[in-house]
Amino acid sequence: MKILFSPFSPYVRKCLVAAHEMGLTLTLLPSNAHPVNRDRTIIADNPLGKVPTFFTDDGQILYDSRVICEYLDHLGGGRLLPAPGRERWTTLTLLSLGDGMLDAALLARYEDVARPDAFKWADWRSAQMDKVETSLEALQNHPEWLQGRVDMGSLTIGCSLWYLDLRFADLGWRDRHPGVAAWYATFSQRDSMRQQWALPA
Ligand SMILES: N[C@@H](CCC(=O)N[C@@H](CS)C(=O)NCC(=O)O)C(=O)O
């Protein structure tokens, strides 16, 4: 199994963390995804030109991270995505919250690094970061959403917090959301969450 890789993509990381939880190893392939300077080699396999893009051993191409994680979970015996029922809907909703935080944070990041100064819109950027903030607030107010949970929901939230630390190091989210910070301090010690992935030299 192969995956188009970027060390800074939280969505790629989510797939690698899920694979690690399942005891599966993925071969990493280079890529250069960018919303404007689009990577034609990715587009050849995924018309959206985004990573992660994933290649199964029997020749299927899968995207996006949600589908890839579902595929990995299926291979690994379904530990990270419960069978249909209340638990599954809870897990998937938490997963959507984590993905939504990432989508907003990535848009703010692109605003910072990809949009020319003349076109920047400060209110729009702060509204994206406010989505992150209101999501953290909800997690802070509902500790039961995360407590004791190891599934695609909590792993996605974990990867979104990893991305905040990577790209928005002075956000100071831990001061405003100490309960989430305490959860992450423990959760981020999982073997899967501690892994560092890199392309082979
Ligand atoms: N919903 C997608 C989002 C993937 C995504 O946006 N990846 C970024 C890299 S972190 C990307 O490929 N950006 C290029 C672009 O926006 O065209 C997923 O969950 O896989």
Side-chain angles (χ1 to χ4, degrees), residues 82 114 151 161 197 201:
D151 61 10
L161 298 175
W197 285 276

Side-chain angles (χ1 to χ4, degrees), residues 22-112:
M22 294 295 169
L24 302 168
T25 304
L26 309 182
T27 300
L28 308 183
L29 304 174
S31 70
N32 274 307
H34 190 278
V36 181
N37 306 318
R38 304 186 67 219
D39 180 339
R40 294 284 148 192
T41 60
I42 304 177
I43 293 170
D45 293 312
N46 170 355
L48 296 171
K50 294 188 177 189
V51 292
T53 297
F54 181 89
F55 306 88
T56 68
D57 285 344
D58 59 0
Q60 252 190 309
I61 300 175
L62 307 181
Y63 43 84
D64 57 4
S65 64
R66 191 177 269 250
V67 176
I68 298 164
C69 289
E70 183 156 353
Y71 179 81
L72 294 170
D73 183 61
H74 174 70
L75 287 189
R79 279 189 298 112
L80 298 179
L81 285 171
R86 266 190 94 78
E87 261 314 287
R88 183 180 182 85
W89 318 138
T90 301
T91 297
L92 288 177
T93 301
L94 197 55
L95 191 164
S96 289
L97 183 64
D99 272 352
M101 289 166 70
L102 283 178
D103 294 344
L106 185 65
L107 286 176
R109 169 77 186 164
Y110 284 154
E111 188 75 10
D112 291 345

